[in-house]
Amino acid sequence: MPRIGRLHIPGGCYHLMGRGLERRAIFSADTDKRDFLVRLGDNLQRSESQCMAWAIMPNHFHLLIRIGSKPPAKLMAPLLGGYAGCYNRRHQRCGYVFQNRYRSILCDADNYLLELIRYIHLNPLRSGIVSDMTALDSYPWTGHAGIMGRHRQRWQSTNEALGYFGEKPSSARRVYRNFLVAGLEITDHKYLTGGGLIRSHGGWEAIGQLRKEHIFCIGDERILGESDFVERSLAEDELAVQAKSRLKQQGWNLDKLIKMVCHFCVVGENQLFTKAHANSLSRAKSLICYWGTQALGLTSREIADRLQISQPAVSYWIRQGGRIVEAGK
């Protein structure tokens, strides 16, 4: 069965989760956790994303991210790839670190943002890593301590999270903490793991029965929200897919893009295989990589093979191209 594509809704909130292979520990020491957080901060900045909540557990992690114009993969691919390589070298091991793909669930922020912040930040307490709320207040490996004014990470959007609980930080923290305490009585969190609408109808078996009776509803395991939110999200994602399809139907491919960009930047196509010292050549490579991935939906591997460069180099040129395009708007 083919993989279901990732949804990319600019400005959307995503609950992102990753687990160690065979549920093994992937954060064996504080050094691992600090490395992951540094990489997370760097890639949040590069991908123009915001982190609303986070938690590092021994064998998995949770992130609540509001993304910008770049899809979640622009954050997660370099974060997880870079961390896995470093983790293997640090612990003198080889092979996969993470199990399968990370999970990515687009969330209806209006209805689920606060519940997800609470769910993510209570993870260490629910699992018994910390003993009580007082210990959680100063526990450094979740975003809760940052919101409480301790162990704050420079990249964590604590002010935005606190803003939902009040205008003054001191009173907002008090309301926020009480909100977390109240959440300890909630034991069933299945409604926060995607496909919320389907679960509200009694699960997939119940949905199957409804469809036999010609009663249809919209549900998607990649989305946490009610029917109207699911429909809007799928429609917005479909528009982006259709835009790429239209370009391909009009004959746009990597070769045509290269010809257009080289003409625009006044460089020869043969120059693309040389080191980009000149401004015009750097500009050409940047735009080819950026438009190739963003407009045509090409993979970095396809572009790397065509330009005879490495995939990390493609990632670099994509970032440069994004800056050029943004500056030209």
Side-chain angles (χ1 to χ4, degrees):
M1 180 181 294
R3 288 178 172 179
I4 298 176
R6 303 285 195 188
L7 290 169
H8 175 213
I9 307 299
C13 280
Y14 287 77
H15 184 189
L16 306 172
M17 295 156 279
R19 188 176 296 278
L21 182 67
E22 298 176 342
R23 296 180 180 269
R24 298 173 185 171
I26 51 176
F27 301 106
S28 306
D30 287 355
T31 304
D32 299 323
K33 297 169 186 173
R34 283 192 289 268
D35 179 31
F36 184 84
L37 293 182
V38 169
R39 293 177 185 278
L40 173 59
D42 291 343
N43 285 291
L44 282 168
Q45 183 176 11
R46 293 192 186 105
S47 63
E48 300 171 0
S49 305
Q50 293 177 289
C51 182
M52 306 289 292
W54 60 274
I56 295 179
M57 307 296 286
N59 67 353
H60 68 281
F61 64 84
H62 292 270
L63 304 173
L64 183 57
I65 305 294
R66 188 188 301 278
I67 68 162
S69 59
K70 300 177 182 179
K74 298 300 181 183
L75 165 67
M76 300 302 290
L79 169 61
L80 300 187
Y83 176 79
C86 228
Y87 180 85
N88 280 344
R89 290 191 294 273
R90 200 160 42 238
H91 295 280
Q92 298 181 338
R93 67 179 299 276
C94 60
Y96 293 107
V97 173
F98 295 98
Q99 180 173 303
N100 302 324
R101 297 198 299 174
Y102 63 91
R103 289 198 66 189
S104 172
I105 300 176
L106 174 67
C107 309
D108 181 355
D110 291 340
N111 293 317
Y112 291 97
L113 179 66
L114 299 186
E115 289 291 341
L116 283 166
I117 290 175
R118 175 162 66 182
Y119 167 72
I120 291 171
H121 286 167
L122 283 176
N123 257 250
L125 181 53
R126 291 185 184 282
S127 64
I129 293 177
V130 298
S131 57
D132 52 33
M133 279 299 300
T134 301
L136 185 66
D137 289 341
S138 57
Y139 184 66
W141 309 120
T142 180
H144 170 71
I147 292 179
M148 296 302 294
R150 307 167 187 173
H151 304 294
R152 181 176 177 178
Q153 302 292 331
R154 57 177 176 78
W155 40 260
Q156 185 180 348
S157 300
T158 55
N159 290 336
E160 183 174 351
L162 273 177
Y164 289 97
F165 298 93
E167 296 182 1
K168 295 182 178 180
S170 57
S171 58
R173 285 192 180 99
R174 187 163 53 252
V175 175
Y176 157 77
R177 192 178 187 278
N178 290 338
F179 175 70
L180 258 64
V181 171
L184 291 172
E185 298 179 2
I186 301 173
T187 57
D188 183 6
H189 301 101
K190 291 181 180 179
Y191 70 101
L192 293 177
T193 57
L197 177 65
I198 287 182
R199 266 181 279 278
S200 71
H201 283 273
W204 286 105
E205 291 184 6
I207 289 296
Q209 184 60 39
L210 287 173
R211 287 176 178 171
K212 287 180 183 178
E213 298 171 3
H214 305 288
I215 301 173
F216 290 87
C217 64
I218 296 294
D220 193 306
E221 288 294 306
R222 300 168 297 171
I223 304 174
L224 175 60
E226 302 304 325
S227 183
D228 57 343
F229 178 78
V230 175
E231 289 178 328
R232 289 197 310 272
S233 299
L234 293 175
E236 187 172 344
D237 184 69
E238 181 63 21
L239 288 175
V241 172
Q242 289 176 358
K244 293 176 181 178
S245 297
R246 282 196 298 272
L247 287 173
K248 291 180 179 179
Q249 290 172 359
Q250 293 168 4
W252 282 96
N253 54 27
L254 183 53
D255 287 336
K256 185 173 180 179
L257 175 63
I258 288 174
K259 290 182 182 297
M260 184 272 288
V261 171
C262 286
H263 176 75
F264 175 73
C265 296
V266 195
V267 299
E269 290 184 42
N270 60 324
Q271 292 179 267
L272 294 175
F273 306 106
T274 62
K275 289 187 177 180
H277 295 299
N279 288 337
S280 57
L281 183 53
S282 298
R283 186 181 181 86
K285 285 189 174 183
S286 299
L287 292 175
I288 289 169
C289 292
Y290 179 78
W291 280 329
T293 54
Q294 304 302 307
L296 298 183
L298 301 173
T299 66
S300 58
R301 169 52 60 193
E302 290 175 291
I303 297 174
D305 290 344
R306 180 67 175 80
L307 297 183
Q308 299 178 17
I309 56 178
S310 66
Q311 284 183 278
V314 172
S315 298
Y316 169 80
W317 290 120
I318 290 172
R319 292 195 297 273
Q320 295 296 103
R323 294 189 186 102
I324 292 172
V325 171
E326 188 64 29
K329 288 182 178 179

